[in-house]
Amino acid sequence: MDTLIFALKVSDEDTLWGALGAEPRVVVSGDSVTPHYLKVGSATNPYGYVKDFSNKYEYINRRRKNDTGTDYDSLFVTWDYPMNPAWFYVGFARCDLRTEGDLFIYVDTRPGGADSTVPYNGTSGRSAFKPTSPDSFKPDFCLIVDNGSTYFYKRYVSTKDGRGSWVDTTFSGLVCEDGVVNNYLYTELYIPYANMGYTAGNPFKLVVLMTGETSNSIINAFPIYNPLGTYKEITQYYWWGSDGLTGNKVPARKYIIGIEETSLNPKSQIRNPKLTVHPNPFTEKTEIFLPSVDVPGRDASLKIYDITGRLVKSFDLATRYSLLATSIVWDGTDDNGRAVSQGIYFCKFATPEECEVEKIIYLK
């Protein structure tokens, strides 16, 4: 009789497979590459799942609702490719869409597109997708999720007068709320690539907004540095490089309008934040007031990025300043002493565990 010996090693997401040897292995939900094979509930079994996104590889960010309180919404994304059909997944956590607001998932997959948000709750209060470069975010499709059973899919259609409009279009994906495990505080969905007019290998851009139940006022936004309220300008978006949504790519490795989120996104928010900039906007110089933290100067950094994500100025807190100082003056020059152009900049103060970012507007 032949004897079959089967060896199986188990690893969590933080362990390198290469260290385990050549034994057979099993990759399950939560792996670092796509396809991920998420399970989303069906019309006949809407609660046949629990949250199965990877917290390490597919978690995008979190943000407090209305920038108040301690209740955070969190965004997850991933995709199944290569598959036929290929799907794009979104998970939205800690929010009950039945009562707390409406979710809008905007995707930009082709040249051109909308310059303003969908007028779902009336015409007033709509926000604009503000161009900041020739390659800015102009969405082509939008999935509107009122709740797990009420959702609409829109396509932007240009008209001869140049104004365009959002119209209903085909949606063969699925939206589902978890009404059992997480008490409706978790929504999971997928959109087929074909519904987005998307071809794998092309760049892919994403903005996720949440508005009030009865208004177009934005109460949460991802990327998290976009403003909240009515008649706002949405300038930041997630961007998955020149190869877009393809296999063997970690979804969490994305960019914000060219700003690498791994370098700008705070690990956690500083308690009692006090990073402020005054005057802002400024024309000649501005004063950056630092948060008060109990770390040596060598363990903190202050950097300024332009809107494309390029580092323009680094302040050496270890040798030129100490955290006993309460502020630092920026005169609108880069590390080479050259005057920067007018526009929007991001000031980032960071420690090994926390960081805070403030937008600065420079005018000449």
Side-chain angles (χ1 to χ4, degrees):
M1 177 182 293
D2 292 334
T3 300
L4 175 64
I5 300 175
F6 182 81
L8 176 66
K9 291 189 176 182
V10 179
S11 168
D12 61 22
E13 291 172 338
D14 293 316
T15 305
L16 294 176
W17 280 108
L20 297 179
E23 292 86 351
R25 72 190 192 202
V26 175
V27 180
V28 298
S29 296
D31 59 359
S32 62
V33 297
T34 58
H36 189 129
Y37 306 110
L38 290 182
K39 181 178 180 181
V40 176
S42 66
T44 56
N45 184 22
Y47 310 120
Y49 73 104
V50 294
K51 174 188 174 297
D52 51 1
F53 279 89
S54 163
N55 286 333
K56 179 174 181 180
Y57 295 106
E58 293 159 346
Y59 165 74
I60 302 301
N61 214 329
R62 71 172 187 165
R63 183 176 182 173
R64 292 178 296 184
K65 298 183 185 73
N66 293 309
D67 282 341
T68 61
T70 58
D71 191 13
Y72 288 85
D73 293 335
S74 297
L75 177 67
F76 300 80
V77 307
T78 193
W79 52 86
D80 280 348
Y81 181 86
M83 286 185 68
N84 188 19
W87 293 342
F88 176 68
Y89 296 93
V90 175
F92 201 67
R94 309 306 304 166
C95 180
D96 186 344
L97 295 180
R98 300 174 305 165
T99 59
E100 294 186 49
D102 301 325
L103 190 65
F104 295 75
I105 299 165
Y106 292 93
V107 297
D108 183 354
T109 59
R110 59 183 66 174
D115 57 8
S116 60
T117 56
V118 176
Y120 182 63
N121 291 314
T123 58
S124 63
R126 295 175 65 187
S127 294
F129 296 102
K130 179 69 174 178
T132 56
S133 71
D135 194 34
S136 291
F137 186 84
K138 296 182 75 66
D140 304 294
F141 296 89
C142 178
L143 176 61
I144 306 166
V145 183
D146 198 315
N147 54 63
S149 59
T150 305
Y151 46 90
F152 307 91
Y153 195 53
K154 303 284 186 178
R155 175 172 60 96
Y156 184 77
V157 178
S158 299
T159 55
K160 292 182 179 180
D161 60 9
R163 300 184 65 178
S165 62
W166 289 99
V167 300
D168 292 326
T169 192
T170 301
F171 180 67
S172 55
L174 182 65
V175 176
C176 190
E177 289 182 313
D178 182 358
V180 177
V181 178
N182 293 299
N183 194 28
Y184 291 100
L185 294 179
Y186 185 73
T187 301
E188 198 166 68
L189 60 94
Y190 68 82
I191 309 173
Y193 282 21
N195 287 176
M196 301 185 294
Y198 178 67
T199 301
N202 292 337
F204 184 85
K205 305 174 187 177
L206 172 73
V207 168
V208 176
L209 304 177
M210 185 176 174
T211 70
E213 286 282 1
T214 59
S215 75
N216 290 314
S217 178
I218 299 171
I219 61 176
N220 217 334
F222 296 82
I224 64 172
Y225 302 114
N226 281 313
L228 307 182
T230 57
Y231 302 109
K232 298 301 181 180
E233 293 182 343
I234 306 301
T235 60
Q236 297 188 14
Y237 55 87
Y238 298 115
W239 175 68
W240 279 269
S242 58
D243 55 349
L245 310 183
T246 54
N248 299 319
K249 189 170 185 179
V250 177
R253 292 179 183 169
K254 74 287 183 192
Y255 292 79
I256 298 181
I257 201 170
I259 300 175
E260 189 172 0
E261 192 161 279
T262 54
S263 65
L264 268 186
N265 180 39
K267 296 179 181 178
S268 61
Q269 293 189 354
I270 291 176
R271 296 185 180 93
N272 302 317
K274 295 180 181 179
L275 179 67
T276 55
V277 180
H278 182 78
N280 190 16
F282 78 100
T283 56
E284 295 182 359
K285 61 182 179 179
T286 189
E287 192 167 6
I288 303 168
F289 296 88
L290 304 177
S292 176
V293 293
D294 297 325
V295 296
R298 66 179 181 274
D299 293 331
S301 65
L302 180 67
K303 298 180 180 180
I304 296 175
Y305 299 82
D306 67 16
I307 201 166
T308 69
R310 182 177 61 91
L311 176 64
V312 298
K313 186 75 171 183
S314 296
F315 295 94
D316 187 350
L317 300 180
T319 57
R320 294 173 55 194
Y321 304 95
S322 74
L323 293 185
L324 297 176
T326 58
S327 65
I328 290 174
V329 174
W330 183 41
D331 60 359
T333 60
D334 62 17
D335 280 330
N336 295 316
R338 298 172 298 196
V340 300
S341 59
Q342 69 176 12
I344 296 175
Y345 294 84
F346 294 93
C347 172
K348 174 194 169 188
F349 176 80
T351 71
E353 297 300 326
E354 303 171 310
C355 81
E356 191 176 355
V357 176
E358 184 71 20
K359 182 168 70 175
I360 304 175
I361 300 175
Y362 177 41
L363 303 175
K364 288 186 177 181

